[in-house]
Amino acid sequence: PPRSWEVIWWLVRWMEPLVSSIAPLRWLRSQAQLLRQAGLEFAVTPSQFAAVRAAYALLASGAATVAAKGLAPAPLPWTIAWIAIAAGGAGWVWPGLVVRDRAAKRRVELLRALPFYMDVVTLCVEAGLNLQGALGHAVAKGPPGALRDELQRCLRDVRAGKGRSDALTAMAERAGEPGLSQFVSAVVQAESLGMSLG
């Protein structure tokens, strides 16, 4: 997880059971998808992410309350309450913005690396390799990054017994990048119809 989350991880562990019992299952599923797109699905579970948001909301609210009480002219109680609520809301929203920003950067990285990997795969397929061998060659020779990690995971899934088209489709769903989804759908369609893969 991001370093700023590790500082409060003790609080996250303490709050996780409470938050996961309250959080709606549908919302947790949407957060799981967001974490997948940000490349954090193995680092943070959706219930831990909900606990991170709750912990930041609690800490921001507490800090704002203490700061408001320390103001020179003593503020009214309802003013302190509104300040605490606003700070708590900002604390709740901030981790979500961090993950969304990380997912957006990852999508841009995937999109930039995609042409190189497509070229390598095309060259390997036209040279006589099958798709799996071409993807393996592209992963071995390609630059490190998000797309390489996703392709490595896809190849591991295939070696573990998952169907190639299923593994590629799962990779496209995890990435959430339309360009990669179009590439995967073209490859899957070419394989299913027996067309020239190149």
Side-chain angles (χ1 to χ4, degrees), residues 6-189:
E6 291 176 5
V7 177
I8 60 158
W9 206 251
W10 58 274
L11 183 58
V12 170
R13 281 190 187 160
W14 179 74
M15 292 182 75
E16 183 186 0
L18 175 66
V19 173
S20 62
S21 65
I22 296 170
L25 190 59
R26 193 170 163 185
W27 182 80
L28 286 174
R29 283 187 188 141
S30 70
Q31 298 307 296
Q33 177 66 20
L34 181 62
L35 290 168
R36 266 195 298 277
Q37 290 176 355
L40 291 171
E41 68 178 316
F42 294 119
V44 182
T45 64
S47 58
Q48 286 173 337
F49 182 52
V52 165
R53 297 181 82 158
Y56 270 108
L58 186 68
L59 291 171
S61 181
T65 302
V66 170
K69 284 183 178 177
L71 294 174
L76 296 170
W78 61 268
T79 307
I80 294 174
W82 278 113
I83 290 171
I85 290 168
W92 174 265
V93 168
W94 182 74
L97 293 176
V98 168
V99 172
R100 275 183 170 67
D101 186 47
R102 190 167 173 157
K105 283 180 183 173
R106 195 163 185 269
R107 278 197 296 273
V108 168
E109 187 184 338
L110 283 166
L111 196 58
R112 283 185 180 160
L114 186 59
F116 173 83
Y117 281 95
M118 284 177 66
D119 284 344
V120 173
V121 169
T122 305
L123 285 171
C124 291
V125 164
E126 289 180 347
L129 283 174
N130 65 359
L131 180 60
Q132 192 171 338
L135 288 173
H137 194 72
V139 165
K141 301 293 181 186
L147 186 54
R148 183 178 174 181
D149 295 342
E150 287 294 341
L151 287 171
Q152 277 179 332
R153 184 172 172 188
C154 177
L155 290 171
R156 277 197 306 268
D157 288 346
V158 171
R159 282 194 293 269
K162 200 171 188 177
R164 192 168 23 199
S165 59
D166 293 338
L168 285 167
T169 305
M171 176 185 73
E173 286 173 3
R174 278 194 309 271
E177 170 51 49
L180 186 60
S181 299
Q182 289 171 358
F183 168 69
V184 166
S185 64
V187 167
V188 169
Q189 188 177 15

